[in-house]
Amino acid sequence: MFKIIDNKTLIKKAHHLFLRKLNEQVDRKIHAIVGFLGGSVKKSVSWIRKFDIWYTSSKGRRYGHMFGIGEPKKTNNSITCEINFLVKGIDRRIGGAFAEDDIGNVYLVHRGKIGGGKKGIGKKLFFEKYPKKNLVTVTDGDKKSKVALIGKLNSPNLVNQIAQFIHKVESIKKSKYKIPLVRRTAILSESNNHSFNKEFSGIKIYEKEKRKIESNGLHGKIVNTLESILREYGYKTANTTRIDLYLYNEVGKIKTIFEVKTNINGLNLYAAIGQLYLNSINFKDKIALILVCPEFNDDELVSRLNRLNIKVLSYRSQKNKVIFPNLTDLIPNL
C-alpha cells in the first residue's frame, strides 16, 4: 500500500532529489514568457532536449513546477501541465505528491489535476484516458485516492518517466478536441531552418546514497564528433530536437539522416529503425538512412538492415576519442 508523504522534512528531501534529477539533464536555460490561464509570466526556463520537455520552478506555499513540450522560445510558451508539491501536510487540490510504499521506497505521483482552462479538460478526462496499469490507490490523509504512479524517485529513469507523463498529458488534452498531436520538429521537412546545436558530451558527477556517480554523455560525444568530421568533409550538417544529425545540400534538400544508438540490444534496434523511417516519411526523394552504433559482428543483421535501405556506421572508443572505422566506405552514399 502507498501512503502520501505529509511530513515537511521528508517532502523537502524528496523534492530536492526530484529537482536535482531534472537539473542534471538540462541542456539550456533561457528567460522566456510562460503563458497560463489568466495571464503570463517571465521565468527562467530549462530545456531537456533529449526528452523534448521544458520546465520552470518556483517556491512559496508550495514547490511549483510548470512543464511544457518542445524547445522553449523567448515568448509564447504554453504549459502542458504542472507538478506541484505542498511544502507540508495534505491538500488534494495540489496535483503532485510523493508517496511511500511499505518498505520505504519513495515515488512521484500525480492526482490527475491537469486543468488548462478548456471545458471538459480536467481530472475526469485524465483518469478516463491515462493507462490503467499506471494507476494506484494511495492513503491520502484521511481518505483513499487514485493517483498516477510516475516513477520511483531514486530511479535513473525518473526524468524519462516524467517526460512520458508530460507527453501523455499533452495527448490527453488534445484528444478532447480531436486536434492532431504534432510535436514540434518531430517530423523533418525541408522548410526547416537548418542548424546544428551541440549535445551535452561531458561528465556529470552527482551524489546518490553517499556515493559519487558519473554520468558520461556518450551519445552527445558521438553526435558532436561525427558532425565535426562530416563538416570538415564539406557536408552541411544540422539536427533537431528529435533527429540526432542530418545532412542537406546547397538548396536545403535533406540528403541523409543519422540515428545514434549507444547500444542496439533489446528494443533499441527496433526503435532506431522506427525513428529513421518516421523522420524520413515526408520526402519524395530517396534519403540515405544511417544507423550509428557500436561495432558488432553480425553479417546477417547488416544484410537485413541493408534490405531496409539502412546503412550501418559503426563506432568505437579509442583513447577517449570516438572513431568511425567504416565512415570513408559510406562517404559516397551520403
Side-chain angles (χ1 to χ4, degrees), residues 188-231:
L188 187 61
S189 71
E190 286 164 346
S191 62
N192 283 40
N193 294 318
H194 305 295
S195 64
F196 178 78
N197 296 297
K198 281 191 173 184
E199 290 195 14
F200 171 78
S201 60
I203 295 176
K204 296 176 180 177
I205 300 177
Y206 56 97
E207 298 288 337
K208 180 180 179 181
E209 297 177 355
K210 299 182 180 179
R211 294 181 294 121
K212 285 190 175 181
I213 303 294
E214 285 191 357
S215 174
N216 196 332
L218 178 58
H219 185 276
K221 189 174 184 178
I222 297 165
V223 172
N224 297 341
T225 302
L226 180 58
E227 187 275 336
S228 178
I229 293 171
L230 291 171
R231 189 159 29 85

Side-chain angles (χ1 to χ4, degrees), residues 98-303:
F98 299 110
E100 189 175 32
D101 66 15
D102 293 334
I103 59 174
N105 294 311
V106 178
Y107 296 81
L108 172 64
V109 302
H110 200 278
R111 292 186 174 96
K113 298 178 68 65
I114 56 176
K118 289 186 178 180
K119 185 178 179 180
I121 292 181
K123 192 171 182 178
K124 183 175 183 293
L125 178 67
F126 177 86
F127 285 114
E128 286 176 358
K129 299 286 187 179
Y130 199 76
K132 301 298 183 286
K133 64 180 181 179
N134 295 329
L135 299 177
V136 298
T137 300
V138 298
T139 300
D140 195 4
D142 58 357
K143 66 177 291 186
K144 304 291 185 185
S145 296
K146 182 166 61 173
V147 298
L149 187 68
I150 298 174
K152 187 185 291 188
L153 203 58
N154 65 1
S155 167
N157 297 317
L158 180 67
V159 178
N160 183 18
Q161 292 165 327
I162 293 170
Q164 290 179 28
F165 176 79
I166 303 304
H167 283 284
K168 184 61 181 176
V169 170
E170 183 194 46
S171 69
I172 289 171
K173 286 185 169 184
K174 290 183 181 293
S175 71
K176 177 65 180 178
Y177 294 94
K178 303 190 185 305
I179 301 170
L181 179 60
V182 180
R183 307 218 200 300
R184 192 173 347 134
T185 68
I187 299 178
L188 187 61
S189 71
E190 286 164 346
S191 62
N192 283 40
N193 294 318
H194 305 295
S195 64
F196 178 78
N197 296 297
K198 281 191 173 184
E199 290 195 14
F200 171 78
S201 60
I203 295 176
K204 296 176 180 177
I205 300 177
Y206 56 97
E207 298 288 337
K208 180 180 179 181
E209 297 177 355
K210 299 182 180 179
R211 294 181 294 121
K212 285 190 175 181
I213 303 294
E214 285 191 357
S215 174
N216 196 332
L218 178 58
H219 185 276
K221 189 174 184 178
I222 297 165
V223 172
N224 297 341
T225 302
L226 180 58
E227 187 275 336
S228 178
I229 293 171
L230 291 171
R231 189 159 29 85
E232 288 180 5
Y233 271 105
Y235 290 98
K236 298 181 184 298
T237 59
N239 61 358
T240 72
T241 57
R242 294 210 175 256
I243 300 170
D244 294 325
L245 183 65
Y246 67 89
L247 306 180
Y248 63 99
N249 65 16
E250 62 279 354
V251 295
K253 285 192 173 293
I254 313 303
K255 307 299 293 182
T256 305
I257 293 175
F258 297 86
E259 178 64 31
V260 176
K261 294 296 181 187
T262 56
N263 70 73
I264 52 170
N265 300 325
L267 295 176
N268 286 322
L269 175 62
Y270 300 105
I273 294 168
Q275 287 166 304
L276 285 167
Y277 272 84
L278 176 64
N279 291 327
S280 61
I281 200 170
N282 271 1
F283 302 104
K284 295 179 181 177
D285 298 335
K286 185 177 179 180
I287 291 177
L289 305 178
I290 312 292
L291 168 60
V292 184
C293 63
E295 285 184 299
F296 64 91
N297 294 312
D298 189 336
D299 293 339
E300 173 58 25
L301 177 56
V302 172
S303 175

